[in-house]
């Protein structure tokens, strides 16, 4: 296996200036391997979406990114605007949660796909037309020839998401950044889109970074996962390993919050309290006020990510105790 | 058979589009979204009935018909032996107190200009639940019941997180000491860890107060966890209703099967690489003839686009509306 | 959390400035005799059309009346106009708007046509037409403005109430079995009234302009009463030789109007921030 296609090191994203600056992403590092689907999981305010946007420096005014984002050996954060434009929507594409606002409502779909083809390929007009049709077929939109001339509002939610994926694929990207792409969709449509993304990953040899709050989606689609809390990665590992044996109390709590078959009408293993706001992140381990495993050291010292097992890292002082408590997810893996 | 406390009997509800002058002149027919198309469903005393379905299936409309936020166009809703459409004045207010609703959006369901104390004392005063002197004590009790600190009473909704606001919504509903709670997507706007807190609270309150709960949600796992019985809705109809265990282990309607197959498996060991359902929801304006699901059904045959299937028995308390008795779920 | 109280203390600057101007204006309007050096109607035939001087800082008019005293005494009438010409439209329009926005359906459709009918005519022309039927004078002017003016408030409130009605807390009120009146006036209106209050402030400024215009045309306050529009009309024949007769009342109109506008802006900021 070759090295990672994307290496992120010590990514720090802040908003605002001076003493009022809020740190949304606080020293995040991860790799994405070729053809790998990495899930970035967290609740609202965990910094997962900001992390994703920081990779392409797509931040609202006042946002500032530091650290290194190495894409094919080059630091995206150090690139000039012109170089960055070549990468954005080119080798790295992005899809969003709400396709209705991410698509331009007054342009037919064809124009929006061809626009991306014009920016990132050498195709002529005829070639672009043919290619946009191919892309619509590729993402599973029936009757592609006719639907190319329709406007975004004429598509259903699921079909709009397919259109957005078609636009993202126009430049033949090597990395797809997906920001909660199925959150606004119904479960049967979500299922279709998730399978589409996986099929495309296989067919086009893409890597995918998938931001979501839904552990079911992670379980069903991702190879590896990184759990974020209050702007930091608290646990990272292969999806199977993390689900089978979480090493961070927060991950364990999240897994326990999900109702499972066979335990109907029992109390869920909930996490008390609410995630902290950016302006009031507790000292020590940010999770300590909500943590059942918290000890003295958790309130004083912020834990760093440490290797717990091969390719399984967690930032928890009491990882042993959490591991000993076991996973709340009953797994077919463990049974068989 | 356990008595039904609240039941929908063949309830239909359309939402007509406004017609312009041009439409009137051209004598165009009224176009309408057919939100409910003959729903019959019983809610039994003390149970939790889950109602699941995707957006546009009519589950929220049904919830609103059950508490009479909407009047139904055809059919009726019966509570404790009385058609609720006939209730007037004091009787109607009494019904509103006995059947309460909790809303989905924690940010819009509380009046932003009223403090928690004002919100709760209004409910207590209007329904004369307590004499004036006992209202403050009752408010403290209610806050304790939903696990909010006592000093929450004098703050306004914006000072609370989403999960806390849902607790305030629950406290407001409980203030009038209802028998039935209709919860419309109660936790879907909340973070996962907070969802679990609210679900636990609901389970605990149900035991403590003998509540009957109608739990409307799109999240199958949640509905399975909390419900005694589950009804699955598709395009304004109940396609299957059964005790929870039977519905999830032995679904008899192809749509239920598709829905279950599509829900992402929480166990990474059971990952599937096939999509659960094909196609998309037909327009609720022009409904397909016959069985509403035939356009997406893998088992559809010539009878399906012709005949409307009725809910038929499939086991104890288990009914499905399909021309096939036991369509084989796809692997 | 420490930034919230600080924000509450530091009120927006327009609010403070506008408030200060209007407070001063109201005091002058209430006690014009306390600040005005002369009787506004006292004529001094020795000093006709005298330019500004130490004895008459704003000069005198063609009857030898002190312009400063007349400008100050005019506050009484003009601040009254600002209030009385807008109070009825504000109250009545808000009530109608709240009901129409909540009920919807046919009343809303009918109201929509009324709005169309009213805004098709230029407001000033409509008011002038009504006053000329009823006869000139302040009382009839209030009636004329009231007949037309409530429509604008009603339109603003109806739109806002309609938005609020769609929010869940309105449905929650219905599900609690609250009466429609309680839902509209206790729940929806407090959340919907902000734009109408802000508009009210602007409208008071406009009412002063309108009152002055009607005074100028001889349809509002009647001479010899001290009113800025009347004063400007009085001075129009002397613009070339005695500009001070018209210019100082004009400045008073500008400052008072500015006060209302600033207050409106500031109020909008505060009320919206509180949501």
């Amino acid at each position: 296996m070759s090295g990672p296609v994307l290496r992120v090191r010590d990514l720090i994203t802040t908003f605002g200036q001076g003493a009022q600056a809020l740190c949304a992403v606080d020293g995040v590092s991860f790799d994405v391997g070729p053809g790998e689907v990495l899930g970035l999981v967290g609740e609202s305010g965990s910094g997962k979406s900001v992390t994703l946007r920081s990779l392409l420096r797509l931040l609202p005014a006042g946002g500032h990114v530091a650290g290194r984002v190495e894409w094919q050996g080059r630091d995206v954060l150090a690139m000039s605007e012109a170089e960055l434009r070549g990468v954005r929507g080119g080798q790295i594409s992005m899809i969003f949660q709400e396709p209705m606002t991410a698509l331009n409502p007054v342009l037919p779909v064809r124009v929006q796909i061809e626009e991306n083809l014009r920016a990132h390929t050498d195709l002529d007009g005829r070639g672009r037309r043919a290619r946009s049709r191919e892309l619509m077929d590729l993402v599973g939109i029936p009757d592609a020839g006719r639907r190319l001339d329709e406007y975004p509002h004429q598509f259903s939610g699921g079909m709009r998401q397919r259109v957005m994926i078609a636009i993202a694929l126009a430049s033949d990207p090597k990395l797809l950044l997906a920001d909660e792409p199925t959150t606004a969709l119904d479960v049967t449509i979500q299922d279709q889109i998730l399978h589409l993304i996986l099929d495309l990953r296989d067919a086009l040899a893409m890597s995918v970074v998938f931001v979501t709050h839904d552990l079911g989606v992670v379980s069903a689609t991702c190879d590896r996962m990184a759990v974020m809390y209050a702007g930091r990665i608290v646990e990272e590992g292969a999806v199977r390993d993390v689900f089978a044996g979480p090493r961070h109390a927060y991950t364990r709590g999240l897994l326990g919050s999900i109702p499972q078959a066979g335990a109907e009408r029992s109390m869920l293993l909930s996490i008390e309290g609410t995630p902290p706001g950016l302006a009031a992140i507790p000292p020590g381990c940010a999770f300590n006020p909500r943590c059942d495993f918290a000890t003295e050291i958790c309130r004083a010292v912020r834990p760093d990510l440490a290797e717990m097992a091969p390719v399984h890292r967690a930032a928890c002082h009491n990882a042993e105790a959490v591991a000993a408590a076991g996973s709340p997810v009953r797994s077919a893996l463990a049974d068989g | 058979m356990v008595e039904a406390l609240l039941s929908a009997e063949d309830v239909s509800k359309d939402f007509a589009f406004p017609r312009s002058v041009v439409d009137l002149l051209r004598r165009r027919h009224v176009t309408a979204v057919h939100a409910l198309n003959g729903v019959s469903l019983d809610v039994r005393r003390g149970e939790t009935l889950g109602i699941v379905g995707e957006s546009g299936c009519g589950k929220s409309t049904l919830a609103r018909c059950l508490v009479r936020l909407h009047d139904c166009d055809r059919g009726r809703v019966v509570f404790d032996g009385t058609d609720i459409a006939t209730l007037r004045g004091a009787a109607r207010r009494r019904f509103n107190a006995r059947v309460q609703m909790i809303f989905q959006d924690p940010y819009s369901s509380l009046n932003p200009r009223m403090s928690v104390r004002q919100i709760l004392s209004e409910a207590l005063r209007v329904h004369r639940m307590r004499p004036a002197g006992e209202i403050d004590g009752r408010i403290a009790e209610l806050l304790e019941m939903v696990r909010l600190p006592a000093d929450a009473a004098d703050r306004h909704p914006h000072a609370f997180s989403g999960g806390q606001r849902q607790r305030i919504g629950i406290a407001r509903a409980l203030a009038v000491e209802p028998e039935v709670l209709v919860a419309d997507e109660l936790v879907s706007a909340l973070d996962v860890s907070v969802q679990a807190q609210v679900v636990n609270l609901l389970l605990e309150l149900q035991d403590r107060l003998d509540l009957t709960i109608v739990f409307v949600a799109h999240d199958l796992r949640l509905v399975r966890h909390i419900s005694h019985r589950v009804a699955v809705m598709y395009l304004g109809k109940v396609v299957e209703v059964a005790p929870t265990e039977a519905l999830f282990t032995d679904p008899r309607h192809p749509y239920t099967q598709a829905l279950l197959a599509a829900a992402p498996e929480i166990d990474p060991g059971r990952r599937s690489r096939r999509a659960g359902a094909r196609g998309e929801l037909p327009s609720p304006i022009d409904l397909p003839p016959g069985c509403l699901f035939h356009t997406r059904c893998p088992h559809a045959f010539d009878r399906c686009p012709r005949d409307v299937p009725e809910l038929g028995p499939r086991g104890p308390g288990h009914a499905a509306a399909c021309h096939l008795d036991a369509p084989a779920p796809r692997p | 959390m420490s930034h919230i109280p600080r924000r509450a203390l530091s009120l927006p600057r327009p609010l403070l400035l506008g408030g200060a101007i209007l407070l001063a204006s109201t005091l002058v309007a209430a006690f014009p005799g306390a600040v005005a050096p002369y009787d506004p109607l006292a004529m001094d035939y020795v000093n006709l059309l005298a330019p500004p001087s130490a004895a008459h800082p704003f000069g005198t008019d063609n009857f030898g009346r002190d312009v400063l005293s007349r400008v100050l005494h005019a506050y009484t009438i003009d601040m009254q106009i600002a209030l009385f010409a807008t109070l009825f439209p504000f109250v009545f329009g808000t009530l109608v708007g709240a009901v129409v926005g909540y009920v919807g359906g046919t009343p809303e459709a009918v109201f929509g046509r009324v709005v169309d009918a009213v805004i098709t005519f230029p407001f000033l022309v409509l008011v002038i037409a009504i006053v000329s039927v009823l006869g000139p004078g302040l009382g009839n002017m209030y009636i004329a403005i009231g007949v037309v003016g409530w429509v604008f408030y009603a339109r603003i409130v109806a739109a806002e109430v309609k938005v609020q009605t769609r929010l869940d807390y309105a449905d929650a009120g219905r599900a609690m079995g609250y009466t429609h009146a309680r839902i509209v006036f206790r729940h929806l209106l407090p959340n919907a009234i902000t734009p109408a209050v802000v508009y009210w402030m602007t409208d008071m400024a406009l009412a002063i302009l309108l009152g002055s215009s009607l005074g100028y045309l001889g349809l509002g306050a009647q001479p010899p009463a001290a009113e800025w529009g009347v004063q400007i009309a009085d001075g129009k024949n002397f613009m070339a030789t005695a500009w001070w007769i018209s210019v100082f009342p004009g400045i008073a109109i500008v400052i008072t109007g500015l006060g209302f506008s600033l207050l409106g802006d500031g109020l909008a900021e505060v009320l919206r921030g509180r949501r």
Side-chain angles (χ1 to χ4, degrees), chain B residues 43-240:
Chain B
V43 187
R44 299 169 190 164
R45 194 181 286 278
E47 75 169 352
T48 300
L49 174 70
I51 300 180
V52 273
E54 299 180 277
S55 53
C57 74
K59 57 189 191 299
S60 287
T61 308
L62 178 62
R64 281 162 182 262
C65 284
L66 290 179
V67 300
R68 211 181 153 193
L69 277 176
H70 293 319
D71 285 311
C72 27
D73 294 332
R74 290 176 296 284
R76 53 184 207 149
V77 175
V78 176
F79 174 66
D80 209 10
T82 318
D83 178 353
I84 64 170
T86 64
L87 297 173
R88 296 279 177 275
R92 177 162 186 185
R93 269 198 294 286
R94 186 75 206 109
F95 163 77
N96 284 135
R98 293 176 70 190
V99 181
Q100 264 300 311
M101 178 147 179
I102 325 174
F103 294 82
Q104 168 177 7
D105 182 358
Y107 295 91
S108 74
S109 60
L110 301 172
N111 186 339
R113 294 204 184 258
M114 290 169 85
S115 70
V116 173
R117 184 184 304 284
Q118 287 171 320
I119 290 170
L120 296 180
S121 71
E122 180 178 41
L124 292 168
R125 280 173 215 274
V126 168
H127 287 279
R128 300 204 178 83
M129 301 308 296
R130 291 285 188 285
E134 293 172 25
I135 282 181
D136 281 344
R138 178 60 180 162
I139 288 173
E141 245 172 68
L142 286 166
L143 290 178
E144 190 274 326
M145 213 184 267
V146 297
R147 302 267 171 78
L148 283 173
D151 66 354
D154 294 304
R155 285 187 274 161
H156 283 71
H158 63 78
F160 297 93
S161 67
Q164 290 170 319
R165 288 178 202 217
Q166 289 305 64
R167 288 162 193 264
I168 299 170
I170 295 173
R172 174 176 60 192
L174 294 180
V176 294
E177 293 165 34
E179 291 159 56
V180 183
L181 273 188
V182 178
D184 183 11
E185 299 276 11
L186 176 65
V187 298
S188 59
L190 305 178
D191 274 322
V192 191
S193 68
V194 182
Q195 281 190 355
Q197 296 166 12
V198 177
V199 165
N200 285 347
L201 177 68
L202 201 64
L203 287 170
E204 185 197 315
L205 289 171
Q206 181 169 32
D207 275 353
R208 194 162 145 191
L209 305 170
D210 285 326
L211 292 168
T212 303
I213 295 178
V214 180
F215 191 82
V216 178
H218 69 278
D219 185 330
L220 289 159
R221 274 193 295 264
L222 266 178
V223 168
R224 178 176 194 174
H225 186 79
I226 207 169
S227 311
H228 297 101
R229 288 193 309 134
V230 175
V232 180
M233 290 186 66
Y234 185 76
L235 282 180
K237 266 188 133 80
V238 173
V239 296
E240 185 161 5

Side-chain angles (χ1 to χ4, degrees), chain A residues 278-307:
Chain A
L278 289 182
I281 291 176
C285 171
F287 186 61
N288 84 70
R290 304 177 68 195
C291 182
D292 292 335
F293 296 88
T295 49
E296 210 42 58
I297 188 171
C298 304
R299 283 179 272 277
V301 181
R302 189 168 73 182
D304 286 319
L305 268 180
E307 197 93 11

Side-chain angles (χ1 to χ4, degrees), chain C residues 110-151:
Chain C
V110 172
F111 173 70
R113 298 295 84 76
V114 172
V115 170
D116 290 346
V118 169
I119 59 178
T120 322
F121 288 99
F123 184 62
L124 187 62
V125 173
L126 209 55
V127 171
I128 290 173
I130 300 174
V131 175
S132 40
V133 171
L134 298 174
L138 277 179
N140 288 339
M141 187 186 89
Y142 295 148
I143 293 173
I145 296 177
V147 165
V148 187
W150 67 271
V151 171

Side-chain angles (χ1 to χ4, degrees), chain A residues 301-320:
Chain A
V301 181
R302 189 168 73 182
D304 286 319
L305 268 180
E307 197 93 11
M308 297 289 162
V311 293
H312 188 168
R313 302 189 297 158
C316 183
H317 292 302
N318 298 308
E320 300 290 319

